[in-house]
Amino acid sequence: MIELDNVSKTYGSTRALDSIDLTILPLRTTVLLGPSGCGKSTLIRLIIGLIKPDEGSVYVEGELLTPNNIFALRKRMGYVIQDGALFPHLTARENVSLIAKHIGWNRDRIQNRIVELCGLTKFPVDALNRYPAQISGGQRQRVSLMRALMLDPDILLLDEPLGALDPLIRFELQTDLKEIFKTLGKTVLMVTHDKGEAGFFEDTIVLLRDGCIIQQGTLSDLVKKPADPFVTRFINAQRSPLESIQNKADSKVF
Ligand SMILES: Nc1ncnc2c1ncn2[C@@H]1O[C@H](COP(=O)(O)OP(=O)(O)O)[C@@H](O)[C@H]1O
Ligand SMILES: [Mg+2]
């Protein structure tokens, strides 16, 4: 569905991506995991064609991405980023319908699709006329997701879509997103730096460090068969609440 063939991208002296070979399988959820600065967003931006690789090729549904076909291919990809990137001066409805209007959908078709998407993403229809500042962070991400899904793309690219949300809202949206992915049967590529979130969504996890793929597999593969000591360090670096309580209890004893 998506293929990166020996792709590299350098910014000044930073090798953001270093000779990446990656195949994203159709109709599955692939999670890009790794510490801040390891190249996750760069990889997503290359696929949506916002930046060009210095070396190597990106293929989307078998087609080599070039300046000539990027706009056509982009219609087959929905893109959601951390803060939603909604236009603040447009209502939720206007944000969601912008591209459909631009390509000539009529009012009824747009309205029907929006109502359908409100059901899918659990966004209240009566809040559609509000501006982004008048809805909650979780609702903004639901609007951003509706906008990405409006043209019914085959591929969804999500760059830390839940990163800016508080834990309870994040938990709720994780559950809803997983359900949506299952219902729609899309090819999903999702970025996170949270291994718990990665494990919740994954069909496959791709773990990156310093622009290189360190390991690809399930969370269980990463835990049980780490390809590199970094994998174990990364997996163990995030503290669970239970562990924190245990540590506090231990420190009281001594
Ligand atoms: N436009 C840019 N200009 C300069 N450096 C950049 C740019 N975009 C990304 N980088 C650098 O490339 C590396 C990878 O960045 P990024 O893909 O955003 O990482 P991640 O999303 O994993 O946090 C980082 O070192 C970052 O500072
Ligand atoms: Mg990023």
Side-chain angles (χ1 to χ4, degrees), residues 157-176:
L157 304 168
L158 305 133
D159 192 349
E160 308 221 31
L162 311 175
L165 302 176
D166 69 59
L168 267 179
I169 302 290
R170 187 171 180 148
F171 186 84
E172 201 177 288
L173 253 173
Q174 280 170 343
T175 315
D176 289 348

Side-chain angles (χ1 to χ4, degrees), residues 166-195:
D166 69 59
L168 267 179
I169 302 290
R170 187 171 180 148
F171 186 84
E172 201 177 288
L173 253 173
Q174 280 170 343
T175 315
D176 289 348
L177 264 185
K178 191 168 172 175
E179 188 62 35
I180 290 169
F181 297 165
K182 208 171 86 190
T183 312
L184 296 179
K186 303 261 177 224
T187 302
V188 178
L189 181 60
M190 179 163 145
V191 168
T192 180
H193 59 258
D194 181 312
K195 65 157 193 230

Side-chain angles (χ1 to χ4, degrees), residues 36-37 39-42 45 82 159-160 191:
S36 183
K40 305 180 296 294
S41 296
T42 303
R45 287 192 200 115
Q82 183 164 326
D159 192 349
E160 308 221 31
V191 168

Side-chain angles (χ1 to χ4, degrees), residues 112-198:
N112 291 342
R113 180 66 179 150
I114 290 182
V115 169
E116 191 177 47
L117 289 171
C118 281
L120 184 76
T121 61
K122 300 188 186 160
F123 184 83
V125 174
D126 58 12
L128 278 171
N129 291 331
R130 293 204 209 139
Y131 290 91
Q134 298 171 325
I135 56 179
S136 69
Q139 286 178 329
R140 276 197 287 278
Q141 286 310 71
R142 291 178 198 270
V143 173
S144 186
L145 183 65
M146 284 199 272
R147 183 173 63 178
L149 289 170
M150 186 71 187
L151 303 186
D152 197 18
D154 301 331
I155 298 167
L156 260 184
L157 304 168
L158 305 133
D159 192 349
E160 308 221 31
L162 311 175
L165 302 176
D166 69 59
L168 267 179
I169 302 290
R170 187 171 180 148
F171 186 84
E172 201 177 288
L173 253 173
Q174 280 170 343
T175 315
D176 289 348
L177 264 185
K178 191 168 172 175
E179 188 62 35
I180 290 169
F181 297 165
K182 208 171 86 190
T183 312
L184 296 179
K186 303 261 177 224
T187 302
V188 178
L189 181 60
M190 179 163 145
V191 168
T192 180
H193 59 258
D194 181 312
K195 65 157 193 230
E197 192 164 281

